[in-house]
Every structure is written in structure tokens, then in C-alpha cells.
């Protein structure tokens, strides 16, 4: 058999596994796997450094299918390479509950899925983060241990999403030469031809961001191989624009939107078999083809073994550090360093904005935890995310630990996902809390993928003052608390800030948001306690001697206000308890007894927070008193805004007294 | 005085009004107004078609300050032109509560603010929407009535945000030749030089999207004027890349990030006065300068009067229609057409996915309301947003009523804001509900700006099935209900879909989201009622004869499930009431009596919804039973997913019985 004939049969194996699986599932996307099968065949059998027998090998090349709807491409390829996860049975159960072969690739469902994709553009930005992580890890551990490429296949949709620009411009700026993006340029989107809605010259666009670009016929295996070889030699990221036919091989539907997201149908599938000369039954891969794939699958085994030898012969300390960081364990000194700082802060009781408290805590964290990578979306001085340890990375030098992400909140969050997924580094970065909206699609994915990504989000309320309602979060607390598996922290003072940071770093499978103030807050904890009280999510920060008549629940900057209100009420003889609520999520994870004890049954329950009420009924009941926001904020000095919106000590005291009088 | 000397003094008036106002407010952004003062002077005094005596003139040019932090530029210019809103007193109250001169320009605070800006990139996309609206309105009413430009000043931050790519590529595709964007290319961002985080060749990038580009010295008034004149003649959108010095004139701080977002300080402000030869006290504009501005302000009066004559002499029907659409009134036939359809549907009781019901209702709406502009972010066949009346617009023909937005959810939402702000059109468009996250920053702004923008968001739950958790909304109901002044509708059947559409169109100052199913739903209303029951937000859709022992609250697809559960419980002799909750927001707007009657006091209260519990305590209390989601969804056939997650008739019945047994 000629090389080209062999290639075609290998690619057709992908095509029919995909088309047959979609057919069996009665739903799915055959168009991309059929169109990109040639690209995948060349990439996975000749270029990608990947060992299916050790699919978690840290120095493997990363592959991201950013066009995640083409998931069957990934499942088919990994089955063909010899994956233990993606068996034929799994392929037959495509899109069924409990199968590894979900509609879109889900991280954690099987080795070879490097990230969850589907929401368009995310994978491209993840890949940028992975390529950044590779460069930063290599700067830490040397090319002997870290030296791999990151590949991504992106579709027209990925490139139309705004996040793609953030990813592309950042990758170009950083000259991420080991990032190779293949654009499956099939000219088709769901509404028809891409030209219905877009006329962008993508080549020119990538070049404007400093990329190398190569245009090829995406069905020509020699051209694909030549392009990949050229890409590997570049000193900047490469876009391979590969013209393909969506649904390649389907005689009546190929090249049209009809083949994008629906089964081919029995008749067309039959005709495709005939057209491509594929006489095999569904899910049957002839042995010559399977053998060819399996042999290719073993291709990187030698390189992997040599890498293992290099690791084994490395300095024991370096090896230990490398392995620790890949496992994701925190360094042994971390907890003690935090306790030492906590004691110091308990003694000093500094009044600080929690964003400044965060900076102070980070100074200790970054000294104790060398794998943190800080950053900010162009708000470094406002987010206070840069410490003495964190020199910025540059295109020429990745040994730094800080990223000037630019004004790219969405791309930043998605690239942080990529950094976390790569393993070896813990990304944290900053923006204003209100701009969590810009980053939200990526934050959702870090929660879904269970990644340790830490968002430092300052200017967390009307307390930011004059910048006004476009910059003042109101609904954001609720909206972020709503995301499953995301810990939203709103610390009340310097000690809670430390505790929340500790929790964020220790949450190996949960991303965190730290909502921090611009304005100063007094230290509230009476004395040092080694226990991380914030870990309970809600706890009594200031109690009364008798059964409480009033319980005031608050978070962040409003806890101090609650404590002041308590003082005034207590002076009048009222028994008042104050509960600080740094995290709804951690509170819900406590025992039922603990939760009941915190909620309590005081006749008057009040919650105070500079956001909307949503979620607080959990603590105060539907008849509780909520003092907070009911609409958007306003522009003005922050103390005046608190008064304007009636979020004051006086308002809490008055509401408590009025309700007590009625009770 | 030479022309250039006169220009400089006019521009310096902006500079010092801005710098002095920031100084007085002790916060704000002097850098942009000082840097872009020359551009603004040329634009507003020689090019912009704007009459300060009739600032709402429908055919005025639109100006968008996308870099909204430079708000003082806008306030200063409008004061100088002779605005009735932006008086010297207002300028002196910059950034104070209640002043029109908020930290960022707030739509509604005064004529001349065409949109709220601050979150970067939004204004650029708003401007694209305004330019689209101009073309579409001109196609409807002719160039005699609609023929204006849209100008925007954007900063480096706007261009780094991903949304800018969506806006730029769409504008280029549509050849929006009357859109002129001026890039204030000062090379500075908050973290320092832009080159710290970005190396994009913006000229090449815009050209890749089909724009005309012109590079100029942004402090050369002749060059600015020449560029604007060239831009006005183009057959495609124009980018004027204007190199400027941020904080122009400040001898020690100009050209650095120090002048971006803080007052200059007394000393530097004094030095700037000296450097620019400006001897006037703060807020004092010498009469020659003010006169020159005021004369320029009257420049467009004649054009405005001629336009008014043309309108007055237009066919009475056309004039009436134009004026109605600018006012935003719905056509007289609208309500009756909806009632007729409602009667028909009540008789036919079709089982339909609510996305199909929406399409059916839209067929009536689009016939009755000629100003609706439909669209979809490349999901036309899935969102069912296209009807027989809505031919797509093309770069050559804007007489259509449908926009193929491409895979640009964020840009779409922001451009829809621009269309709504322009007035004359009502934009609605579609994507999957889960991708509301991509559009969220723009959706928040439509709520803040009180714009009638309608989001048709289909595939609203695990009911979409196999596409899996990346595509299944879980937290989105809560997250969208959290946004102030946004109506989130989740209709339960075809009649509620009609009612929710009616409410969305009638909500002149509130954007709406219609969350619609992919899967079929039975018609639930027993009979035709002329009253729009969904307007109450929650209402009894199926009652019992006695006092209810069980009340089941549900929205959307789960209302049918609740009704089925009721039937089974009722068969066992239990008194069950079912409340449909299409909108939390409209429910909260009802009388306290009504709300109390709906919440009721049944011993067993259950809520059923395919989202998280957050928000439902309002109906069921903190001890109520919630049957819904607690985490992300999964990939599989939808009926199986409902069973997998325990959202079933059986689960509702079992929970009700268990609680009744305990009660």
C-alpha cells in the first residue's frame, strides 16, 4: 500500500468511528472529525509526543480540541492510539450517561482530554496558558525536564469569539514559540457559510499579533507534516490555516452546515462508506489500520523512558520539588509560615483594606510557595497582587512569577485554567470584582474542571466609591455563589483574608474568588486562634452572654459595621450575636448541627451586605431583615454611598429595635 | 490669533476643566481628556452633527466615549458646546452623589451621553450597533430622515478586550462606512507601557477585518480634520489611529501611567498651567474660548432645522411611523394580534418546545411590529428566531430585519444595546442560555441603561440532553435573576411564551431574557384568558378545592411535571396547588397581599426547577423542599438526565408524601 493510501485508511478510521458513533447516539457532530481527520492522523501519528501507556507523563505534548463539539475526533484518536480509557465500548456509548465519551470532551473523563471544551474559544486560551506554563516550568526546571509543545485545533467559531483575540495577542506578545494552532478552516458555521457573518482575513489578523502563519490544504498529509515541522522550528507561535471540507467524504452533505451537528443518516452514511471505499461495519477497524495506529501510539515510549531517566538522575531536591509540584502538594513550610504571620497580625491588629491585607499575606505565601504565579489584568497597583518575589515574565525570560495579562480578563481566566491544567504552577490573578462578568465563562469551566485557580477580585462593592455603578458589584456575590464548585470568599479583616487565602491554596479541586475591599477595614478578631475559622464558612465572631435576641450576619466590609451595631444595641441591653460569613459554600459543607447552631433562632435576624438579598434567606429566613442593595450603585465618595443606600450602623440598630419592639 | 493658537486654547479649555474637576473631586482620570482634547475639539467643533439646543434630534451624529474613564472629556465638551445639562455647577460636582457628572458617563444623566461606558470595549460595540441601526433605519425611512455618522473614541484597553474583535470584525463584514473610530493611541495602560502586555499591530488588525485605516498625530488639528474628512468618504468603517500623549501638557507626568487615573496634584497642575500658558482659575473659561465653542455649538442648527422641515413635509403616515418608532411606542395593532393568537393557541393547545412556541409567537409579533430586528449568534435553527418577515441584512442591503451575528455573543449583546439606544428599532436575538455568561457584561449594561433589549435564550436546562454540562445552564437562572432591572422569563408552555414575549416588548425600560426549552412541553392553560397571567410573575396555574396541603412552585419545563405530580397526589386525596413562576422580578413587583396569597401557608411547599435552589426560599421558605440541581449537569438523553438528577414527578410525589406524613 502506498503511504497516501495508508494515511487515508488511518484517517478514514477516525471518520467512521466518529460518524458511526454519532449515528448510534442519534446526536452529535460528525462534520469536524471527518474534516479534520487528516490533520489529526498526521499530528497524532507523527508529531505529538504522547505515550498512551503513560498518558499523564508530565512532559507530554498537550493537545487541545478547542472546537470541542468534534469530541469524537479525540475519542477516536485515543482509541486508535491504544488508550485504556477510550475503549470501543466507550465509543459505542457516546453521549450516554456515565460514559467517558460525553457530548463534549470533559476533563477528568479520561487521559488525553487535557481540558474541557465546547464553549468556543476557551480551548485556544487554555492552550495559551499551557504553553505559558511550559515556558515557566522550563525556566524553573530546565529543558531536560520540561520541553514540550502545545497543539490546538480551533474552528471558525473559536476565532470569531472575542476571547480568541485576547489569547492570540497575548501568545504573540509572549512569543510562545511552542504553541501551534491549527485552524480547521472549513468555511462553514451553523447558520451556513462563515461568509454570512464574517469576512476577516485570519492570516493577516494572526500576523498582526506576531504569529507565524502557514496556509495549507488540510487534506494533504505531506503538507500537514511539512507545516507542523516548520511550526516546530519557529521562534513565535504558529497558526496553520488548514483548508478542509467539513464532513469530508459524505457525498451529499460534505461542505455544508448539514453535516455540522447532526447524524449523517443511514443513507448518507452508506454513501460515504462507498465514496471512501470503507467496507467495514460500524466500530470495526481493520487490523492493518489499527496496527498502524497502535504502532504509532508506541512512538513516544522511548522519549518518555529517556525523560524518566533524566528525572531519576536529577538532583534529589530538584526531583522532589518537581514531583511535589506536579502532584499539587503545597510545600511543607507553608502552614507554619501562615501561622506565624497570623500570630503577628493578631498581635498587631492592623487596619487595612483587604486588598492590602491580601498583598501582605501574599508576601508570605509567595515566599513559602514557589509555584504561585501572580498577575493582574492591568490593575497591578489596584489589585495588590505583586509582591517582592514576583518579577514579571517577558517574552525573553520566563523565570519570573508575574504576568501582566493586559486588559484581557476573559483570556486571563481561561489561560489560568490552562496553567492549572498543565500542573506544576498555581495561578492567581486580579481584576475588579465587577469584571468577573467578563471572565465568567472561563471561571465556570475551572469549577467544572475542578482546577485550583485563584481570582483576586478587588474593589468589591460600592465601597470603591466614585467610579460608580459600572464598577460597583451588586449582583456579583450572588452570581458567583451560584456557580457550583466555586468558593466565593469575602473576608472581613486581615486575619480572615489570611485564612481565605489559605483555604484557596488548599482547595485542590476548587477554584476560588477572593472579594476584597478598596477601603480600609479594622481588624476584628479579638485574639489569635490557630484554627482557620473561615474554613467553617460562617462563625460567631462576636457573641453575647445570654441567648441572642438579635443575630447579625454579614460578610466582608459589613462585618465591622455589624460589630459596631452590636456595640450600640448591647449598650442598650440587647443580647446580640454577630456571625461573619466569609463563604456560603464552606458553610453549606458543615454538619447540620453546626449549621443549625449558626443560623440559630434569635427572634431578630439581620443580614448586612453591600449586594442583593439573594441567598441570605438561608441565614435570616424569608422574614428576616436584609440591609443591602436593591439596585445598581452610584458615583460618589464611599462613606456617602453607604449612607445613601442606607447600609449603616444606624440602619441596623434601628431595624433591630423596630423588630424587637414588635416581637 | 492664528487658527492653531485658537485651537490650542479651545483644546486647553477641555484639558483644564477636566484636570481641575478631577483635582476638586480628589479622584478621576485626567490623562485621557488631556490627551484627546485636540481630537475632541476638532471632532465636536467641525465635524459632529449635534445641536445642543435639540440634543435628542434623532438624526444627530452619535458620539461614544468608549474609554469611559475619560468622562470629564465628555462633560467638558458638552458644557463648552452649551449643554443645558452639563453646567459649570455640574462639572464642579464631578463624581458626587446626585450629580450628572458621574465617574463614568451614565446614560440618562444628560443629553450627549449616548451610552454608559466604563467597562472597556463595550462602547465600541455599542457604536457598531448604533451604526447598524442607522443603516437599517435609513433603509426603512430613507436618507432624508436618517443619515448620520457614529463616532467613537477608544483606548488601548478597549482594543485589548475580546469584545473589540467581535465588534471590529462585524463592522468590517457589514461595511459600516459611517462608523468612524478614533483610537487614542497613547501607549500607556495602568500597569505602564502598553508594550508590557501587548505587541499587536492594530492597524494591520483592523485592516484584516476590512477597515480603512489612517494614522495621524493626534495633537495636529489639521491632520485630525483631514483624517475625519477622509473617513466620512469611505465605503467601509474607518479607524483613525491617533498617536497622543496621555496627560498632554503636564510637564512631569504626561506620557506615563501616573496621569491615567489620579489627580495631577496641586503642584503638577500649576506646572501644567504654566506649560500650556493657561492663566485662568479652575472652572474659568475665558470668554473668547467659550464664545468660540458656543458658536461651534450652533453650527448644526441649520441642518437640524432642515431635517425638521423634511420630516414635517414627509408623507403623514411615514412621519407618524417614524415618530412612533423614535418614541418607542408599540404599533396599535400589536395587542389585538397577540390576543387573537392567544385565543387560537388556547383552543389548539399545541405541544411545543417553548423555543418553537417562541418562533410561532414571533411570526405574529414580526408581522405586527415592523421595528423588531431579529438575530442569532450562529444558532438560527436552534434558537428559532427567524420568521417569514425577517430577511437577513447584508453589507449591500440593510432593508432586512435579521442579523446573522456570527459566533459573537458578547459583541451581539453590546451591539443590541447600541441598536436600542439609537432608537427606532427593537432588537431581539438568540443564543443558548448557558452562553448568557459570554454576553453578561453587556446584559448588565442594558439593565443599567434601561434598554429594551430581548435575549432569546434556548436550550435552557439539562433538557437539552447530550451536549452535556458545558451547554447545560444550572446556575444561570439565579445569576440572571440577580441582575437588577433585568426580567428573566422562563415560560411553561406556549401561552406563557406568548405572554412573556408580550411583557418583554412592553417593558420599555427593562431588558428581558426568555429562557426556552429544546424539548417539547404540553400546553397547560385550561382555557383562554385575556389577562396576561405571566405579568404577575407567579400565579396559580392549577388549584385545589380546599386549602392546599401541598403547594408546588415551578418554572418553565418543570411546571408540567408539577401538574403531573399534583394529579398523582390528588388521586390519593391530597389537596395540591401548583404555582407557575415565569418571572421572579415581576412577582416581586406585585402587592404584598398578592405575594402573600401566592406564597401561602401550605404545610408542604415544594419548588421544582432544573437549576440551583438559590432564590427559591422566597417561595418555599428555608425549610421547604427543593427538587432541582446541586451541581453541574451531564451528557445523555434528556429524559434519562431528569431521572439521573432526580427531577421527576415521582420525586415530587415522594417528597410531598414524606413531609405530609411527618406533618
Amino acid at each position: 500500500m502506498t503511504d497516501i493510501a495508508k494515511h487515508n485508511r488511518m484517517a478514514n478510521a477516525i471518520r467512521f468511528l466518529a460518524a458511526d458513533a454519532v449515528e448510534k447516539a442519534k446526536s452529535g457532530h460528525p462534520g469536524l472529525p471527518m474534516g479534520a481527520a487528516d490533520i489529526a492522523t498526521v499530528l497524532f501519528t507523527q508529531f505529538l509526543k504522547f505515550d498512551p501507556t503513560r498518558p499523564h507523563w508530565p512532559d507530554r505534548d498537550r493537545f487541545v480540541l478547542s472546537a470541542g463539539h468534534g469530541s469524537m475526533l479525540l475519542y477516536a484518536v485515543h482509541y486508535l492510539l491504544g488508550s485504556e480509557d477510550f475503549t470501543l465500548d466507550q465509543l459505542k456509548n457516546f453521549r450516554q450517561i456515565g460514559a467517558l465519551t460525553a457530548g463534549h470532551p470533559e476533563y477528568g473523563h479520561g487521559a488525553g482530554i487535557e481540558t474541557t471544551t465546547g464553549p468556543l474559544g476557551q480551548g485556544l486560551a487554555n492552550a495559551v496558558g499551557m504553553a505559558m506554563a511550559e515556558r515557566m516550568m522550563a525556566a524553573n526546571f530546565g529543558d531536560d525536564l520540561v520541553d514540550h509543545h502545545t497543539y490546538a485545533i480551533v474552528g471558525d467559531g473559536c476565532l470569531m469569539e472575542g476571547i480568541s483575540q485576547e489569547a492570540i495577542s497575548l501568545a504573540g506578545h509572549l512569543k510562545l514559540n511552542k504553541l501551534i494552532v491549527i485552524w480547521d478552516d472549513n468555511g462553514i458555521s451553523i447558520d451556513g457559510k462563515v461568509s454570512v457573518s464574517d469576512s476577516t482575513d485570519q492570516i493577516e489578523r494572526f500576523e498582526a499579533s506576531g504569529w507565524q502563519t502557514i496556509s495549507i490544504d488540510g487534506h494533504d498529509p505531506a503538507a500537514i507534516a511539512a507545516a507542523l515541522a516548520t511550526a516546530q522550528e519557529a521562534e513565535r507561535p504558529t497558526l496553520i490555516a488548514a483548508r478542509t471540507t467539513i464532513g469530508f467524504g459524505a457525498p451529499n452533505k460534505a461542505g455544508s452546515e448539514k453535516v455540522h451537528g447532526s447524524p449523517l443518516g443511514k443513507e448518507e452514511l452508506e454513501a460515504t462508506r462507498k465514496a471512501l471505499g470503507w467496507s467495514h461495519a460500524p466500530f470495526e477497524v481493520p487490523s492493518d489500520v489499527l496496527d498502524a495506529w497502535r504502532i504509532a501510539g508506541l512512538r513516544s515510549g522511548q522519549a518518555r523512558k529517556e525523560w524518566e531517566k533524566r528525572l531519576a538522575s536529577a538532583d534529589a531536591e530538584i526531583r522532589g520539588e518537581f514531583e511535589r509540584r506536579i502532584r499539587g502538594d503545597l510545600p511543607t513550610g507553608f502552614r507554619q509560615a501562615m501561622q506565624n504571620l497570623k500570630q503577628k497580625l493578631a498581635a498587631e491588629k492592623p487596619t487595612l483594606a483587604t486588598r492590602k491585607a491580601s498583598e501582605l499575606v501574599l508576601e508570605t505565601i509567595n515566599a513559602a510557595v514557589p509555584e504561585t504565579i501572580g498577575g493582574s489584568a492591568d490593575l497591578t497597583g489596584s489589585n495588590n497582587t505583586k509582591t517582592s518575589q514576583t518579577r514579571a515574565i517577558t517574552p525573553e525570560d520566563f523565570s519570573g512569577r508575574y504576568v501582566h495579562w493586559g486588559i484581557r480578563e476573559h483570556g486571563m481566566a481561561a489561560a489560568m485554567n490552562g496553567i492549572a491544567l498543565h500542573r506544576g504552577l498555581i495561578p492567581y490573578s486580579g481584576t475588579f470584582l465587577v469584571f468577573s462578568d467578563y471572565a465568567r465563562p472561563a471561571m465556570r469551566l475551572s469549577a467544572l474542571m475542578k482546577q485550583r485557580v485563584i481570582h483576586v477580585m478587588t474593589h468589591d462593592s460600592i465601597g470603591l466609591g466614585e467610579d460608580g455603578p459600572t464598577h460597583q458589584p451588586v449582583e456579583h456575590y450572588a452570581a458567583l455563589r451560584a456557580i457550583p464548585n466555586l468558593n466565593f470568599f469575602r473576608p472581613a479583616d486581615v486575619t480572615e483574608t489570611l485564612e481565605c487565602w489559605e483555604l484557596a491554596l488548599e482547595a485542590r479541586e476548587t477554584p476560588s474568588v477572593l472579594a476584597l475591599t478598596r477601603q480600609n477595614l479594622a481588624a476584628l478578631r479579638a485574639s489569635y486562634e490557630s484554627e482557620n475559622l473561615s474554613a467553617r464558612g460562617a462563625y460567631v465572631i462576636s457573641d453575647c452572654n445570654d441567648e441572642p435576641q438579635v443575630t447579625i450576619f454579614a460578610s466582608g466590609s459589613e462585618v465591622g459595621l455589624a460589630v459596631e451595631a452590636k456595640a450600640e444595641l448591647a449598650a442598650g441591653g440587647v443580647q446580640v450575636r454577630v456571625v461573619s460569613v466569609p463563604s456560603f459554600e464552606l458553610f453549606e459543607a458543615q454538619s447540620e448541627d453546626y449549621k443549625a447552631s449558626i443560623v440559630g433562632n434569635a427572634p431578630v435576624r439581620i443580614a448586612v451586605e453591600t449586594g442583593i438579598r439573594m441567598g441570605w434567606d438561608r441565614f435570616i429566613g424569608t422574614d428576616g431583615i436584609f440591609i443591602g442593595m436593591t439596585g445598581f450603585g452610584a458615583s460618589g465618595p464611599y462613606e456617602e454611598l453607604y449612607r445613601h443606600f442606607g447600609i449603616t450602623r444606624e440602619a441596623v440598630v434601628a431595624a433591630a429595635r423596630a423588630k424587637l419592639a414588635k416581637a
Side-chain angles (χ1 to χ4, degrees), chain A:
Chain A
M1 200 170 359
T2 62
D3 281 358
I4 185 75
K6 183 180 166 193
H7 165 87
N8 287 343
R9 280 173 63 77
M10 290 175 79
N12 286 341
I14 299 175
R15 292 192 172 99
F16 287 98
L17 285 172
D20 287 326
V22 171
E23 201 69 21
K24 183 163 189 293
K26 299 195 189 75
S27 80
H29 300 75
L32 185 138
M34 297 174 78
D38 294 306
I39 295 164
T41 301
V42 175
L43 175 62
F44 278 86
T45 65
Q46 297 176 43
F47 287 86
L48 200 88
K49 189 172 77 170
F50 183 83
D51 182 351
T53 71
R54 298 288 189 285
H56 299 290
W57 171 27
D59 200 37
R60 69 190 180 281
D61 285 345
R62 304 301 195 273
F63 173 78
V64 174
L65 184 65
S66 188
H69 51 273
S71 57
M72 265 311 304
L73 177 89
L74 200 54
Y75 308 146
V77 161
H78 281 288
Y79 161 66
L80 292 166
L81 287 171
S83 164
E84 289 180 13
D85 292 325
F86 296 101
T87 61
L88 212 48
D89 275 349
Q90 287 291 343
L91 270 57
K92 290 177 185 169
N93 273 308
F94 181 49
R95 295 185 148 234
Q96 305 309 306
I97 293 180
L100 301 180
T101 46
H104 291 80
E106 302 289 339
Y107 180 75
H109 275 209
I113 301 179
E114 302 283 5
T115 179
T116 295
T117 50
L120 295 175
Q122 298 290 333
L124 172 57
N126 296 161
V128 169
M130 291 174 188
M132 289 170 69
E134 192 270 349
R135 290 289 73 207
M136 292 190 278
M137 285 289 281
N140 280 203
F141 293 100
D143 291 349
D144 265 11
L145 293 185
V146 185
D147 180 13
H148 68 80
H149 283 90
T150 300
Y151 297 91
I153 292 183
V154 305
D156 295 293
C158 294
L159 297 189
M160 253 192 267
E161 291 285 3
I163 189 175
S164 68
Q165 182 62 23
E166 302 183 19
I168 292 165
S169 60
L170 183 64
H173 172 72
L174 289 174
K175 298 193 171 73
L176 298 175
N177 63 312
K178 289 160 90 177
L179 173 64
I180 300 174
V181 172
I182 304 160
W183 168 32
D184 178 38
D185 174 17
N186 61 36
I188 295 293
S189 71
I190 290 173
D191 277 4
K193 290 187 178 163
V194 169
S195 59
V196 163
S197 60
D198 192 44
S199 312
T200 307
D201 182 332
Q202 297 289 2
I203 300 290
E204 192 176 357
R205 176 182 170 214
F206 275 78
E207 287 179 353
S209 286
W211 287 52
Q212 168 175 249
T213 64
I214 305 172
S215 294
I216 59 165
D217 172 355
H219 299 299
D220 176 349
I224 297 165
L228 287 167
T230 303
Q232 288 187 341
E233 299 305 313
E235 295 188 348
R236 50 202 178 125
T238 298
L239 172 76
I240 300 175
R243 283 183 313 282
T244 63
T245 302
I246 190 170
F248 182 94
N252 305 301
K253 295 186 172 178
S256 89
E257 68 277 15
K258 292 187 196 109
V259 79
H260 165 79
S262 314
L264 292 179
K266 194 169 172 249
E267 208 168 307
E268 179 76 354
L269 191 47
E270 205 52 56
T272 309
R273 279 191 150 71
K274 196 167 285 180
L276 293 178
W278 188 264
S279 54
H280 318 287
F283 302 105
E284 192 183 302
V285 180
S287 60
D288 64 314
V289 175
L290 192 59
D291 287 352
W293 269 99
R294 292 283 156 95
I295 289 164
L298 299 175
R299 197 174 41 88
S300 302
Q302 189 56 34
R304 189 256 307 162
K305 282 177 201 151
E306 284 163 16
W307 179 89
E308 284 169 351
K309 269 187 216 153
R310 289 198 297 277
L311 179 66
S313 65
D315 177 274
E317 201 175 319
I318 290 173
R319 187 175 71 240
E321 181 67 0
F322 182 84
E323 289 174 338
R324 177 188 72 75
R325 286 173 56 169
I326 295 294
R327 281 196 309 276
D329 298 341
L330 291 170
T332 44
F334 169 66
R335 283 202 189 145
Q336 192 55 54
M338 294 296 268
Q339 285 297 333
N340 294 349
L341 177 61
K342 196 174 181 182
Q343 270 182 300
K344 183 164 171 284
L345 295 173
E348 292 176 0
K349 295 192 172 46
T351 291
L352 285 173
T354 47
R355 64 173 174 150
K356 292 293 289 181
S358 168
E359 181 179 38
L360 191 156
V361 172
L362 270 170
E363 195 66 40
T364 291
I365 290 170
N366 287 340
V369 185
E371 61 266 39
T372 51
I373 297 294
S376 169
D378 196 47
L379 290 168
T380 296
S382 299
N383 300 145
N384 300 84
T385 41
K386 201 161 190 294
T387 65
S388 65
Q389 303 87 354
T390 56
R391 196 165 33 81
I393 61 168
T394 69
E396 290 74 36
D397 178 4
F398 284 87
S399 67
R401 288 174 58 191
Y402 194 82
V403 183
H404 286 292
W405 288 101
I407 300 135
R408 302 182 179 101
E409 299 83 5
H410 197 182
M412 171 175 83
M416 286 206 286
N417 290 350
I419 291 173
L421 287 160
H422 181 277
R423 304 193 74 78
L425 300 166
I426 302 175
Y428 73 85
S429 196
T431 186
F432 291 156
L433 180 58
V434 81
F435 300 134
S436 60
D437 279 350
Y438 276 75
R440 195 170 167 91
M443 294 170 73
R444 180 176 210 255
L445 283 166
S446 60
L448 179 58
M449 291 192 281
K450 302 181 182 170
Q451 293 303 299
R452 178 165 48 183
V453 171
I454 303 172
H455 298 275
V456 180
M457 294 187 156
T458 68
H459 295 58
D460 77 342
S461 75
I462 53 167
L464 65 84
E466 291 87 347
D467 275 345
T470 56
H471 283 55
Q472 291 162 354
V474 169
E475 72 276 27
H476 299 75
Y477 315 145
L480 290 166
R481 286 170 181 149
I483 298 179
N485 192 42
L486 174 75
N487 285 339
F488 177 81
F489 293 106
R490 194 160 182 256
D493 75 347
V494 65
T495 297
E496 277 197 14
T497 304
L498 179 148
E499 290 179 341
C500 293
W501 258 113
E502 192 170 60
L503 293 163
L505 284 162
E506 286 175 350
R508 298 168 69 124
E509 299 205 331
T510 304
S512 297
V513 174
L514 294 159
L516 305 173
T517 67
R518 176 173 187 258
Q519 74 274 27
N520 276 338
L521 301 182
L524 297 176
R525 288 281 183 83
S527 60
Y528 168 72
E529 295 190 63
S530 64
E531 187 192 342
N532 186 324
L533 297 178
S534 300
R536 296 172 175 260
Y539 67 95
V540 178
I541 194 164
S542 177
D543 211 353
C544 39
N545 298 322
D546 285 332
E547 278 299 296
Q549 298 166 273
V550 177
T551 302
I552 311 175
F553 301 85
S555 84
S557 38
E558 286 66 70
V559 179
L561 188 155
V563 170
E564 288 172 21
K566 176 197 160 159
E568 186 167 336
L569 288 163
V574 184
Q575 297 291 321
V576 183
R577 170 179 288 170
V578 178
V579 173
S580 179
V581 189
S583 163
F584 279 40
E585 298 78 25
L586 295 186
F587 176 69
E588 287 304 341
Q590 305 304 305
S591 70
E592 292 304 322
D593 282 354
Y594 180 77
K595 287 190 276 189
S597 78
I598 288 294
V599 169
N601 46 20
V604 179
R605 285 185 283 164
I606 304 176
V608 197
E609 186 173 65
T610 47
I612 58 165
R613 179 176 182 132
M614 188 182 274
W616 280 102
D617 286 1
R618 174 71 181 88
F619 292 93
I620 58 174
T622 51
D623 58 348
I625 297 166
F626 181 72
I627 293 180
M629 301 291 288
T630 55
F632 294 107
S635 172
Y638 86 87
E639 302 92 334
E640 291 180 29
L641 289 173
Y642 268 88
R643 283 195 292 273
H644 179 75
F645 291 108
I647 305 172
T648 60
R649 174 177 54 80
E650 294 83 349
V652 175
V653 168
R657 285 187 179 147
K659 186 117 179 195
L660 279 172
K662 270 198 246 171

